[in-house]
């Protein structure tokens, strides 16, 4: 009996240490509103949390495939926002639920991303004087920053895992696959990512993908010409280097579904909206 009691007590404490933070979205949108960003900032300013799971949801409108892709874009937007807030979420489990679990009768409440978070232990005030006393004895920490080349090399290493371990319907962004401004020419610095994409497609012949192109800065979401050319540029590179066109597709979405609302407020927000995403059509 005592064993069951202690087990119950342990489980209760674990549950108490976790909570869910929800980020809500407008109809058919994956960009986060300013109000929802402020809510995230308030939640994370009160207590330090570790994100352990991220779940993307949609309402019942649209097909399951469309809603799965939209749910993934919403997850990507939240991940980008967490990154901008310097909140670590790299090891969090991602779950695309889409419309499969409609928990609320209200459509608006189903259009969300849930962050399952765990409170981190606080630094006790009693240890602070010791830290302060020793601060002059410790050399100041220099924050390690990666060069653009190192960032691209690191993302190229992760790309194979994303392509080969994602389920069909998952969409993810290739963050550093960039184009020359207002053109479909791929920046020379980004070519290692394109080479890695080609390598993975050769090594895993059952993998089928669709390339999605986006642009920034353009307030007309129906102007998709440049985004289509950019997606087609990657498609053509793959087919010209031996990848069967039957395994590929490409689409351009212009400035629709931006990660950050238009007009963007910084070059970083423009770069985030000017992106390439990969939809897994058939997993290995």
């Amino acid at each position: 009996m005592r064993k069951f009691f202690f087990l119950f007590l342990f489980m209760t404490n674990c549950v108490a240490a976790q909570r869910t933070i929800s980020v809500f979205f407008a109809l058919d949108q994956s960009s986060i509103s300013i109000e929802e960003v402020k809510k995230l900032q308030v939640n994370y300013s009160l207590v330090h949390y570790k994100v352990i799971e991220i779940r993307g949801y949609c309402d019942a409108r649209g097909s399951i495939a469309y809603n799965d892709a939209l749910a993934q874009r919403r997850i990507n937007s939240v991940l980008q926002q967490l990154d901008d807030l310097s909140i670590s979420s790299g090891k969090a489990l991602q779950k695309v639920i889409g419309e499969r679990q409609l928990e609320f009768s209200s459509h608006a409440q189903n259009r969300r991303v849930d962050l399952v978070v765990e409170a981190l232990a606080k630094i006790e005030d009693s240890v602070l004087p010791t830290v302060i006393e020793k601060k002059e004895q410790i050399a100041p920490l220099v924050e390690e920053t990666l060069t653009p080349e190192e960032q691209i090399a690191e993302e190229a290493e992760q790309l194979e895992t994303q392509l080969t371990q994602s389920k069909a319907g998952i969409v993810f962004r290739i963050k550093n696959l960039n184009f020359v401004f207002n053109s479909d020419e791929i920046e020379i610095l980004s070519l290692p990512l394109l080479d890695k994409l080609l390598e993975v497609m050769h090594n895993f012949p059952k993998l089928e993908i669709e390339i999605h192109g986006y642009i920034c800065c353009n307030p007309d979401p129906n102007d998709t010409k440049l985004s289509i050319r950019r997606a087609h540029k990657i498609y053509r590179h793959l087919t010209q280097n031996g990848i069967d066109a039957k395994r590929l597709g490409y689409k351009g979405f212009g400035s629709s579904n931006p990660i950050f609302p238009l007009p963007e407020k910084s070059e970083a927000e423009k770069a985030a909206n000017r992106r390439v995403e990969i939809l897994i059509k058939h997993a290995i």
Side-chain angles (χ1 to χ4, degrees):
M1 184 67 182
R2 290 180 62 189
K3 290 183 179 179
F4 284 112
F5 172 75
F6 284 119
L7 178 61
F8 171 77
L9 187 62
F10 172 76
M11 292 177 65
T12 302
N13 287 337
C14 288
V15 172
Q18 294 182 4
R19 60 169 294 197
T20 300
I21 297 173
S22 295
V23 181
F24 294 94
F25 295 82
L27 176 64
D28 284 336
Q29 292 298 308
S30 60
S31 58
I32 306 177
S33 68
I34 295 174
E35 291 76 14
E36 292 300 313
V37 171
K38 288 179 179 178
K39 288 180 185 177
L40 268 179
Q41 290 172 330
V42 168
N43 273 297
Y44 281 94
S45 65
L46 297 176
V47 181
H48 292 292
Y49 293 109
K50 176 177 68 174
V51 183
I52 58 177
E53 191 171 300
I54 304 173
R55 305 167 184 159
Y57 297 85
C58 294
D59 60 32
R61 304 175 187 184
S63 67
I64 290 178
Y66 173 84
N67 281 331
D68 282 353
L70 178 57
Q72 182 63 52
R73 290 199 299 273
R74 287 172 173 170
I75 289 175
N76 293 344
S77 295
V78 172
L79 288 172
Q80 179 66 47
Q81 190 60 53
L82 293 177
D83 186 52
D84 292 341
L85 295 173
S86 299
I87 298 167
S88 177
S89 58
K91 295 183 179 180
L93 176 65
Q94 295 184 35
K95 288 187 178 180
V96 174
I97 298 173
E99 64 178 61
R100 292 176 180 81
Q101 296 178 13
L102 299 175
E103 300 181 23
F104 302 98
S105 56
S106 166
H107 286 307
Q109 288 179 291
N110 289 319
R111 295 192 290 264
R112 71 188 192 281
V113 167
D114 282 348
L115 300 172
V116 181
V117 298
E118 190 174 74
L120 297 176
K122 293 183 179 179
I123 300 175
E124 298 296 333
D125 293 339
S126 60
V127 305
L128 291 180
T130 305
V131 175
I132 293 171
E133 288 173 8
K134 293 183 178 180
K135 70 177 181 180
E136 294 182 356
Q137 304 171 19
I138 302 173
L141 294 175
V142 178
E143 184 177 352
E144 183 181 354
T145 56
L146 298 178
T147 65
E149 292 84 356
E150 290 171 334
Q151 291 177 13
I152 288 171
E154 187 176 87
E155 186 174 11
E157 290 180 3
Q158 299 168 353
L159 186 57
E160 179 170 339
T161 301
Q162 290 177 305
L163 285 164
T164 58
Q165 295 187 11
S166 296
K167 297 179 180 179
I170 295 296
V171 180
F172 63 87
R173 178 164 64 106
I174 305 182
K175 186 176 181 180
N176 290 297
L177 183 49
N178 299 318
F179 293 83
V180 175
F181 178 73
N182 204 31
S183 101
D184 62 358
E185 289 302 314
I186 298 170
E187 290 187 353
I188 294 175
L189 201 61
S190 296
L191 292 179
L193 282 167
L194 197 58
D195 291 340
K196 173 58 73 171
L197 178 61
L198 177 62
E199 176 189 323
V200 175
M201 293 301 292
H202 273 301
N203 292 341
F204 298 90
K206 293 184 179 180
L207 182 63
E208 297 178 11
I209 64 171
E210 188 171 83
I211 304 151
H212 294 175
Y214 291 86
I215 61 173
C216 71
C217 315
N218 188 336
D220 181 6
N222 297 315
D223 186 359
T224 60
K225 296 187 292 294
L226 179 56
S227 63
I228 291 173
R229 293 208 315 271
R230 286 177 170 174
H232 181 259
K233 185 79 173 207
I234 298 171
Y235 168 89
R236 188 172 61 187
H237 178 82
L238 296 176
T239 55
Q240 288 178 343
N241 286 277
I243 304 302
D244 190 342
K246 293 179 182 178
R247 299 171 55 201
L248 303 170
Y250 67 92
K251 290 181 180 178
F253 293 91
S255 60
S256 63
N257 294 313
I259 292 175
F260 292 96
L262 300 178
E264 297 90 342
K265 297 180 179 60
S266 66
E267 288 302 319
E269 291 189 0
K270 291 177 182 178
N273 284 343
R274 188 173 58 241
R275 65 197 189 276
V276 171
E277 294 182 347
I278 300 294
L279 166 64
I280 303 296
K281 298 281 287 185
H282 188 277
I284 63 171

